[in-house]
């Protein structure tokens, strides 16, 4: 069984909880045991598995990524895009 879904974003950097969507996908599948393989087909997006009881966890993760890979750190401009997204290619 395979199913896809789209996640709408509002900003360039966001942490979005997709737990409920994944639960619905698994429930509709009728599978009672096994694995749910989750992947993202974009070079500048990621799936992170973390508990989400505290909404600050997502904000903390984004802040840590900003510190590790700053947006304006002298990255070479990617000529194939209109926007300089070099920082997202490194992260």
């Amino acid at each position: 069984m395979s199913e896809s879904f789209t996640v709408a974003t509002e900003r360039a950097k966001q942490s979005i909880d997709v737990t409920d969507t994944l639960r619905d996908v698994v429930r509709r599948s009728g599978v009672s045991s096994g694995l749910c393989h989750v992947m993202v087909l974009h070079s500048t997006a990621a799936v992170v598995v973390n508990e989400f009881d505290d909404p600050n966890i997502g904000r903390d993760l984004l802040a840590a990524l900003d510190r590790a890979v700053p947006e304006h750190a002298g990255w070479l401009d990617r000529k194939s895009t209109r926007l300089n997204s070099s920082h997202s290619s490194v992260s």
Side-chain angles (χ1 to χ4, degrees):
M1 186 225 160
S2 176
E3 184 169 333
S4 298
F5 63 90
T6 301
V7 176
T9 59
E10 298 170 0
R11 298 179 303 281
K13 299 175 188 176
Q14 282 185 262
S15 174
I16 300 171
D17 185 359
V18 295
T19 305
D20 291 338
T21 302
L22 293 173
R23 280 190 183 123
D24 290 342
V25 168
V26 171
R27 185 174 39 255
R28 283 193 307 273
S29 77
V31 174
S32 60
S33 68
L35 297 175
C36 177
H37 180 95
V38 179
M39 59 188 278
V40 61
L41 299 176
H42 197 282
S43 62
T44 60
V47 173
V48 176
V49 177
N50 203 339
E51 53 99 3
F52 214 75
D53 289 335
D54 181 350
N56 289 322
I57 291 171
R59 290 186 204 113
D60 288 343
L61 176 62
L62 292 174
L65 288 172
D66 279 342
R67 286 190 302 276
V69 185
E71 190 166 337
H72 299 288
W75 306 112
L76 298 176
D77 190 14
R78 299 290 184 254
K79 300 297 181 191
S80 63
T81 62
R82 280 195 249 154
L83 300 174
N84 184 347
S85 61
S86 302
H87 66 286
S88 60
S89 300
V90 176
S91 53

